[in-house]
Coordinates of all heavy atoms in Angstrom, one line a residue:
I304 N 14.2 -49.4 190.9 CA 13.3 -50.5 191.3 C 11.9 -50.3 190.8 O 11.3 -49.2 190.9 CB 13.2 -50.7 192.8 CG1 14.6 -51.1 193.4 CG2 12.2 -51.7 193.3 CD1 14.7 -51.2 194.9
L305 N 11.3 -51.3 190.2 CA 9.9 -51.3 189.7 C 9.1 -52.2 190.7 O 9.6 -53.1 191.3 CB 9.8 -51.9 188.3 CG 10.7 -51.3 187.2 CD1 10.6 -52.1 185.9 CD2 10.3 -49.9 186.9
S306 N 7.8 -51.8 190.8 CA 6.9 -52.6 191.6 C 5.8 -53.2 190.7 O 5.3 -52.6 189.8 CB 6.2 -51.8 192.7 OG 5.4 -50.8 192.1
V307 N 5.6 -54.5 190.9 CA 4.5 -55.2 190.3 C 3.7 -56.0 191.3 O 4.3 -56.8 192.0 CB 5.0 -56.1 189.2 CG1 3.8 -56.8 188.4 CG2 5.9 -55.4 188.2
A308 N 2.4 -55.7 191.4 CA 1.6 -56.4 192.4 C 0.8 -57.5 191.5 O 0.0 -57.1 190.6 CB 0.6 -55.5 193.1
I309 N 0.9 -58.7 191.9 CA 0.3 -59.8 191.1 C -0.8 -60.5 192.1 O -0.4 -61.1 193.1 CB 1.3 -60.8 190.7 CG1 2.4 -60.1 189.8 CG2 0.7 -62.0 189.9 CD1 3.6 -61.0 189.5
Q310 N -2.0 -60.3 191.7 CA -3.1 -60.8 192.5 C -3.1 -62.3 192.5 O -2.9 -62.9 191.4 CB -4.5 -60.2 192.1 CG -4.5 -58.7 191.9 CD -4.0 -58.0 193.1 OE1 -4.7 -58.1 194.2 NE2 -2.9 -57.2 193.0
R311 N -3.4 -62.9 193.6 CA -3.5 -64.4 193.6 C -4.9 -64.9 193.1 O -5.8 -64.1 193.0 CB -3.3 -64.9 195.1 CG -1.9 -64.7 195.5 CD -1.4 -65.7 196.5 NE 0.0 -65.5 196.9 CZ 0.7 -66.4 197.7 NH1 0.0 -67.4 198.2 NH2 1.9 -66.2 197.9
H312 N -4.9 -66.2 192.8 CA -6.2 -66.8 192.4 C -7.1 -66.8 193.6 O -6.6 -66.7 194.8 CB -5.9 -68.2 191.9 CG -5.2 -68.2 190.6 ND1 -5.7 -67.8 189.4 CD2 -3.9 -68.7 190.3 CE1 -4.8 -67.9 188.4 NE2 -3.7 -68.5 188.9
D313 N -8.4 -67.0 193.4 CA -9.3 -67.1 194.5 C -9.0 -68.1 195.5 O -9.4 -68.0 196.7 CB -10.8 -67.3 193.9 CG -11.3 -66.0 193.2 OD1 -10.7 -64.9 193.4 OD2 -12.2 -66.1 192.4
D314 N -8.4 -69.2 195.1 CA -8.1 -70.3 196.0 C -6.7 -70.0 196.8 O -6.3 -70.9 197.5 CB -8.0 -71.6 195.3 CG -6.9 -71.7 194.3 OD1 -6.2 -70.7 194.1 OD2 -6.8 -72.8 193.6
G315 N -6.1 -68.8 196.5 CA -4.9 -68.5 197.2 C -3.6 -68.9 196.5 O -2.5 -68.6 197.0
A316 N -3.8 -69.6 195.4 CA -2.6 -70.0 194.6 C -1.9 -68.9 193.9 O -2.6 -68.0 193.4 CB -3.0 -71.1 193.6
M317 N -0.6 -68.9 193.9 CA 0.1 -67.9 193.2 C -0.1 -68.0 191.7 O -0.2 -69.1 191.1 CB 1.6 -68.0 193.5 CG 2.0 -67.8 194.9 SD 3.8 -68.1 195.2 CE 4.5 -66.6 194.5
K318 N -0.1 -66.9 191.0 CA -0.2 -66.9 189.5 C 1.2 -67.3 189.0 O 2.2 -67.2 189.7 CB -0.6 -65.5 189.0 CG -2.0 -65.2 189.2 CD -2.5 -64.0 188.5 CE -4.0 -63.8 188.7 NZ -4.5 -62.6 188.1
D319 N 1.2 -67.8 187.8 CA 2.5 -68.4 187.2 C 3.6 -67.4 187.3 O 4.8 -67.7 187.7 CB 2.3 -68.8 185.8 CG 1.3 -70.0 185.7 OD1 1.1 -70.7 186.7 OD2 0.8 -70.2 184.6
T320 N 3.4 -66.1 186.9 CA 4.4 -65.1 186.9 C 5.0 -64.9 188.3 O 6.3 -64.9 188.4 CB 3.9 -63.8 186.3 OG1 3.4 -64.0 185.0 CG2 5.0 -62.7 186.3
A321 N 4.2 -64.8 189.3 CA 4.7 -64.6 190.6 C 5.5 -65.8 191.1 O 6.5 -65.7 191.7 CB 3.5 -64.3 191.6
R322 N 5.0 -67.0 190.8 CA 5.7 -68.2 191.2 C 7.1 -68.3 190.5 O 8.1 -68.7 191.2 CB 4.8 -69.4 190.9 CG 5.4 -70.7 191.5 CD 4.5 -71.9 191.2 NE 4.5 -72.3 189.8 CZ 3.6 -72.1 188.9 NH1 2.5 -71.4 189.3 NH2 3.7 -72.4 187.7
H323 N 7.1 -68.0 189.3 CA 8.4 -68.0 188.5 C 9.4 -67.0 189.1 O 10.6 -67.3 189.2 CB 8.2 -67.8 187.0 CG 7.3 -68.8 186.4 ND1 6.7 -68.5 185.2 CD2 6.9 -70.0 186.8 CE1 5.9 -69.6 184.8 NE2 6.0 -70.5 185.8
I324 N 8.9 -65.8 189.4 CA 9.8 -64.8 189.9 C 10.3 -65.2 191.3 O 11.5 -65.0 191.6 CB 9.1 -63.4 190.0 CG1 8.8 -62.9 188.6 CG2 10.0 -62.4 190.7 CD1 8.0 -61.6 188.6
A325 N 9.4 -65.7 192.1 CA 9.8 -66.1 193.5 C 10.9 -67.3 193.4 O 11.8 -67.3 194.2 CB 8.6 -66.6 194.3
S326 N 10.7 -68.1 192.4 CA 11.6 -69.3 192.3 C 12.9 -68.9 191.6 O 14.0 -69.3 192.1 CB 10.9 -70.3 191.4 OG 11.8 -71.4 191.2
H327 N 12.9 -68.2 190.5 CA 14.1 -67.9 189.7 C 14.8 -66.5 190.0 O 15.9 -66.3 189.6 CB 13.8 -68.0 188.2 CG 13.3 -69.3 187.8 ND1 14.0 -70.5 188.0 CD2 12.1 -69.7 187.2 CE1 13.3 -71.5 187.5 NE2 12.2 -71.1 187.1
K328 N 14.0 -65.7 190.7 CA 14.5 -64.4 191.2 C 14.8 -63.4 190.0 O 15.6 -62.5 190.2 CB 15.8 -64.5 192.0 CG 15.8 -65.6 193.1 CD 14.7 -65.4 194.1 CE 14.7 -66.4 195.2 NZ 13.6 -66.3 196.1
E329 N 14.2 -63.6 188.9 CA 14.4 -62.7 187.8 C 13.1 -62.6 186.9 O 12.3 -63.5 186.9 CB 15.6 -63.1 187.0 CG 15.5 -64.5 186.4 CD 16.8 -64.9 185.6 OE1 17.7 -64.0 185.5 OE2 16.9 -66.0 185.2
A330 N 13.1 -61.5 186.1 CA 12.0 -61.3 185.2 C 12.4 -60.2 184.2 O 13.3 -59.4 184.5 CB 10.7 -60.9 185.9
I331 N 11.8 -60.2 183.0 CA 12.0 -59.2 182.1 C 10.7 -58.4 181.9 O 9.6 -59.0 181.6 CB 12.5 -59.7 180.7 CG1 13.8 -60.4 180.9 CG2 12.6 -58.6 179.7 CD1 14.4 -61.0 179.6
V332 N 10.7 -57.1 182.1 CA 9.6 -56.2 182.0 C 9.6 -55.4 180.7 O 10.6 -54.7 180.4 CB 9.5 -55.3 183.2 CG1 8.3 -54.4 183.1 CG2 9.5 -56.1 184.5
H333 N 8.6 -55.5 179.9 CA 8.5 -54.8 178.6 C 7.4 -53.7 178.7 O 6.4 -53.9 179.5 CB 8.1 -55.8 177.5 CG 9.0 -56.9 177.4 ND1 8.9 -58.0 178.2 CD2 10.0 -57.2 176.5 CE1 9.8 -58.9 177.9 NE2 10.5 -58.5 176.8
V334 N 7.6 -52.7 178.0 CA 6.6 -51.6 177.9 C 5.6 -51.9 176.8 O 5.9 -52.3 175.7 CB 7.3 -50.2 177.6 CG1 6.2 -49.2 177.3 CG2 8.1 -49.8 178.8
V335 N 4.3 -51.8 177.1 CA 3.2 -52.0 176.2 C 2.9 -50.7 175.4 O 2.8 -49.6 176.0 CB 1.9 -52.5 176.9 CG1 0.8 -52.6 175.9 CG2 2.2 -53.8 177.6
T336 N 2.9 -50.8 174.1 CA 2.7 -49.6 173.2 C 1.5 -49.9 172.3 O 0.9 -51.0 172.2 CB 4.0 -49.4 172.4 OG1 4.1 -50.4 171.5 CG2 5.2 -49.3 173.3
E337 N 1.2 -48.8 171.5 CA 0.1 -48.9 170.5 C 0.4 -50.0 169.5 O -0.6 -50.6 168.9 CB -0.1 -47.6 169.9 CG -0.7 -46.5 170.8 CD -0.9 -45.2 170.1 OE1 -1.4 -45.2 168.9 OE2 -0.6 -44.1 170.7
T338 N 1.6 -50.3 169.2 CA 2.0 -51.3 168.2 C 1.9 -52.8 168.7 O 1.8 -53.7 167.9 CB 3.4 -51.0 167.6 OG1 4.3 -51.0 168.6 CG2 3.4 -49.7 166.9
N339 N 2.0 -53.0 170.0 CA 2.0 -54.3 170.5 C 0.9 -54.7 171.5 O 0.9 -55.8 172.0 CB 3.4 -54.7 171.2 CG 3.7 -53.9 172.4 OD1 2.8 -53.4 173.2 ND2 5.0 -53.6 172.7
V340 N 0.0 -53.7 171.7 CA -1.0 -53.9 172.7 C -2.0 -55.0 172.4 O -2.5 -55.7 173.3 CB -1.8 -52.6 173.0 CG1 -2.6 -52.2 171.7 CG2 -2.8 -52.7 174.2
H341 N -2.3 -55.3 171.1 CA -3.2 -56.4 170.8 C -2.6 -57.7 171.2 O -3.3 -58.6 171.7 CB -3.6 -56.3 169.3 CG -4.4 -55.1 169.0 ND1 -5.7 -55.0 169.3 CD2 -4.1 -53.9 168.3 CE1 -6.2 -53.8 168.9 NE2 -5.2 -53.2 168.3
D342 N -1.3 -57.9 170.9 CA -0.7 -59.2 171.3 C -0.5 -59.2 172.8 O -0.7 -60.3 173.4 CB 0.7 -59.3 170.6 CG 0.6 -59.8 169.2 OD1 -0.3 -60.7 168.9 OD2 1.4 -59.4 168.3
A343 N -0.2 -58.1 173.4 CA -0.1 -58.1 174.9 C -1.5 -58.5 175.5 O -1.5 -59.2 176.5 CB 0.3 -56.7 175.4
N344 N -2.6 -58.0 174.9 CA -3.9 -58.4 175.5 C -4.1 -59.9 175.4 O -4.7 -60.5 176.2 CB -5.0 -57.6 174.7 CG -6.3 -57.9 175.3 OD1 -6.7 -57.5 176.4 ND2 -7.2 -58.5 174.4
Q345 N -3.6 -60.5 174.3 CA -3.8 -61.9 174.1 C -3.1 -62.8 175.2 O -3.6 -63.9 175.5 CB -3.3 -62.4 172.7 CG -4.1 -61.9 171.6 CD -5.5 -62.5 171.6 OE1 -6.5 -61.8 171.9 NE2 -5.6 -63.8 171.3
T346 N -2.1 -62.2 175.8 CA -1.3 -63.0 176.8 C -2.0 -63.1 178.1 O -1.6 -63.8 179.0 CB 0.1 -62.4 177.0 OG1 0.0 -61.1 177.6 CG2 0.9 -62.2 175.7

Side-chain angles (χ1 to χ4, degrees):
I304 294 177
L305 305 173
S306 68
V307 181
I309 302 173
Q310 310 306 298
R311 291 209 176 184
H312 294 291
D313 289 340
D314 63 0
M317 297 175 76
K318 290 189 175 177
D319 292 341
T320 299
R322 190 178 69 254
H323 299 163
I324 294 174
S326 175
H327 300 301
K328 314 300 182 187
E329 59 182 354
I331 300 180
V332 179
H333 305 77
V334 171
V335 176
T336 69
E337 292 182 40
T338 58
N339 65 30
V340 65
H341 291 286
D342 277 326
N344 183 64
Q345 289 297 106
T346 68

